[in-house]
């Protein structure tokens, strides 16, 4: 029996040596020490031994069991350490390798300009107003004194949703909302999208951006209009810029003017950008028509005001030398990355 135990031990030691996985260790344990294992079988046969032999063999069997168990534990620990070492080696990372740089997005050039323009007006005490892109004819035309036969009202020029609901053609509609909803004085600008039924080409887009301005208070004069716009344009284009007002017609202002600046490229000499004129048209403006004030419940005998509207694409195109308005809409990162 002693021999048998020695053999079992030797076999188990050999099997453990060859075990390279935790499952193999467990198999060895079951094979030798399990309920139906070889060592257990030997112990079962101990009843046949003499009274002297029994404790000796019992002692030996216990030693064999203990040494096999110890070996299993030791091997288990070694295997686990090996496994962890392998995992750590696999997961090792070189913190000195340069990272993958993520491209930072930037604001769309039109939005950048919109912010810049709004900031200038906020600096002069204006607030920002918003109005809906979808308007009724009343806000877009009628309340702004655009007569029913005005060409802007034609379906050729305007996107109608129903007979009298449309996509606004100008941010001037926001003037009416502001005057209806608040009590004067007002001093606001309102940037936003406008829509016109134009085919898309290098200089026309069915959707573009404007910014409207409105100031109404007691005693507002054309001098306030000129001073405000001059201050704005000098902030935007630099102190050296000269500003010129040309008489014009808009239905919702009287008198009305178009406002030009001296060309910021040639300074007024005449160049390609200003088409040899020396002047560049920037915006439309005027004194709010008394009919418009009255329509909004404001007494033109007490209050007066001025308004202006500026196209943001145009400013951006001239400033950056962009010759195709479609670039603003195409989301081409090669274009957008430049701002
Ligand atoms: N709404 C005009 C347009 O789309 C621009 C404009 C001109 C707005 C004169 C004004 C203004 O407020 O006073 O062409």
């Amino acid at each position: 029996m002693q021999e048998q135990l020695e053999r079992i031990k030797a076999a188990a030691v050999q099997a453990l040596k060859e075990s390279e996985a935790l499952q193999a260790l467990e198999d060895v344990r079951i094979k030798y020490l399990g309920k139906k294992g070889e060592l257990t079988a030997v112990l079962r046969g101990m009843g046949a031994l003499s009274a002297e032999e029994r404790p000796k063999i019992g002692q030996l069997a216990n030693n064999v069991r203990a040494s096999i168990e110890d070996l299993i534990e030791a091997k288990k620990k070694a295997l686990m350490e090996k496994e962890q070492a392998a995992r750590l080696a696999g997961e090792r990372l070189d913190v000195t390798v340069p990272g993958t740089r993520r491209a930072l997005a930037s604001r769309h050039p039109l939005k950048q300009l919109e912010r810049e323009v709004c900031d200038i007006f906020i600096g002069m005490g204006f607030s920002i107003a918003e109005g809906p892109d979808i308007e009724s004819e009343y806000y877009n035309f009628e309340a702004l004194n655009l007569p029913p036969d005005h060409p802007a009202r034609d379906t050729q020029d305007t996107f109608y949703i129903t007979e009298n609901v449309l996509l606004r053609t100008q941010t001037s509609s926001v003037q009416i909302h502001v005057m209806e909803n608040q009590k004067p004085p007002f001093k606001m600008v309102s940037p936003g999208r406008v829509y016109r039924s134009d085919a898309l080409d290098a200089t026309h887009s069915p959707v573009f951006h404007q910014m409207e301005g409105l100031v109404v208070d007691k005693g507002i004069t054309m001098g306030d209009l000129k001073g405000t716009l001059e201050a704005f344009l000098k902030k935007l284009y630099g102190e050296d810029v000269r500003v010129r007002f040309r008489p014009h017609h808009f239905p919702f202002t009287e008198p009305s003017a178009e406002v030009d600046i001296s060309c910021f490229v040639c300074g007024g000499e005449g160049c390609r950008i200003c088409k040899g004129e020396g002047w560049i048209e920037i915006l439309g403006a005027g004194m709010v028509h008394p009919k418009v004030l009255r329509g909004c419940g404001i007494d033109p005998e007490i209050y007066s005001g001025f308004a202006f509207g500026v196209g943001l694409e145009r400013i951006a195109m001239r400033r950056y030398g962009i010759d195709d308005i479609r670039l603003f809409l195409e989301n081409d990162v090669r274009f957008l990355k430049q701002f």
Side-chain angles (χ1 to χ4, degrees):
M1 225 174 206
Q2 190 171 340
E3 249 169 56
Q4 214 180 336
L5 286 171
E6 302 280 338
R7 230 182 40 241
I8 288 174
K9 184 176 171 187
V13 167
Q14 183 60 32
L16 285 173
K17 237 187 220 160
E18 288 163 10
S19 301
E20 285 305 328
L22 293 174
Q23 185 56 47
L25 294 182
E26 179 63 6
D27 291 345
V28 171
R29 196 189 61 78
I30 292 169
K31 181 155 185 240
Y32 296 99
L33 309 179
K35 265 194 198 137
K36 293 177 184 155
E38 292 181 23
L39 186 68
T40 321
V42 173
L43 292 174
R44 282 219 182 92
M46 278 188 24
L49 293 176
S50 68
E52 290 149 41
E53 261 184 325
R54 212 177 289 154
K56 262 173 64 194
I57 296 295
Q59 174 83 46
L60 183 61
N62 279 338
N63 288 346
V64 169
R65 165 181 286 276
S67 52
I68 295 176
E69 277 173 349
D70 288 350
L71 268 176
I72 290 178
E73 268 320 300
K75 185 84 193 225
K76 200 184 212 169
K77 210 174 142 209
L79 279 181
M80 277 161 71
E81 274 167 10
K82 209 165 132 190
E83 193 184 297
Q84 191 183 25
R87 206 177 58 229
L88 286 179
E91 286 174 0
R92 189 172 59 196
L93 51 104
D94 180 354
V95 292
T96 65
V97 171
T100 354
R101 198 178 282 275
R102 277 184 197 279
L104 260 193
S106 59
R107 236 168 248 286
H108 190 278
L110 282 173
K111 282 284 154 188
Q112 287 183 30
L113 177 68
E114 182 183 302
R115 283 203 158 189
E116 186 183 335
V117 170
C118 282
D119 276 352
I120 295 174
F121 281 103
I122 288 169
M124 295 195 280
F126 283 64
S127 54
I128 310 288
E130 271 186 85
D133 288 21
I134 298 173
E135 277 293 9
S136 66
E137 264 197 313
Y138 178 78
Y139 287 97
N140 196 77
F141 296 132
E142 207 169 311
L144 288 160
N145 196 31
L146 269 102
D149 57 353
H150 193 283
R153 289 213 190 194
D154 198 281
T155 50
Q156 298 277 322
D157 293 310
T158 300
F159 291 113
Y160 284 86
I161 291 167
T162 66
E163 206 175 308
N164 56 23
V165 176
L166 45 89
L167 296 179
R168 68 178 178 192
T169 62
Q170 49 186 352
T171 47
S172 303
S173 53
V174 185
Q175 290 186 29
I176 307 303
H177 289 289
V178 168
M179 289 195 278
E180 278 184 351
N181 292 331
Q182 298 166 34
K183 292 236 162 305
F186 314 113
K187 206 171 168 188
M188 69 85 178
V189 285
S190 183
R193 285 196 180 88
V194 298
Y195 307 83
R196 292 184 195 176
S197 184
D198 280 327
L200 188 61
D201 64 23
T203 53
H204 297 85
S205 164
V207 48
F208 57 102
H209 296 75
Q210 286 187 336
M211 197 190 65
E212 197 73 15
L214 175 71
V215 172
V216 176
D217 202 347
K218 290 176 184 158
I220 297 289
T221 69
M222 191 100 186
D224 296 308
L225 167 63
K226 290 185 78 171
T228 303
L229 291 181
E230 220 172 284
F232 160 57
L233 292 168
K234 282 181 189 281
K235 275 253 162 24
L236 195 60
Y237 288 103
E239 283 301 317
D240 293 340
V241 85
R242 280 165 293 133
V243 180
R244 171 174 93 170
F245 287 69
R246 268 182 298 110
H248 198 73
H249 168 78
F250 294 107
F252 37 86
T253 44
E254 180 60 35
S256 304
E258 274 192 332
V259 181
D260 304 334
I261 57 164
S262 53
C263 178
F264 52 82
V265 176
C266 63
E269 307 258 297
C271 69
R272 199 174 57 85
I273 296 291
C274 60
K275 302 202 177 81
E277 304 247 323
W279 295 94
I280 290 175
E281 184 213 317
I282 291 289
L283 48 78
M287 300 305 291
V288 182
H289 199 294
K291 252 169 112 172
V292 174
L293 290 174
R294 210 175 292 121
C296 298
I298 295 168
D299 186 347
E301 298 297 330
I302 300 172
Y303 287 100
S304 57
F306 66 80
F308 53 92
V310 44
L312 294 178
E313 273 82 353
R314 263 206 183 171
I315 292 187
M317 286 171 82
R318 295 224 186 84
R319 168 184 281 191
Y320 301 119
I322 296 165
D323 55 8
D324 196 326
I325 199 170
R326 289 171 288 202
L327 287 164
F328 290 122
L329 302 166
E330 284 169 348
N331 275 345
D332 185 334
V333 284
R334 289 169 304 178
F335 170 72
L336 296 173
K337 253 165 61 180
Q338 299 175 51
F339 301 93

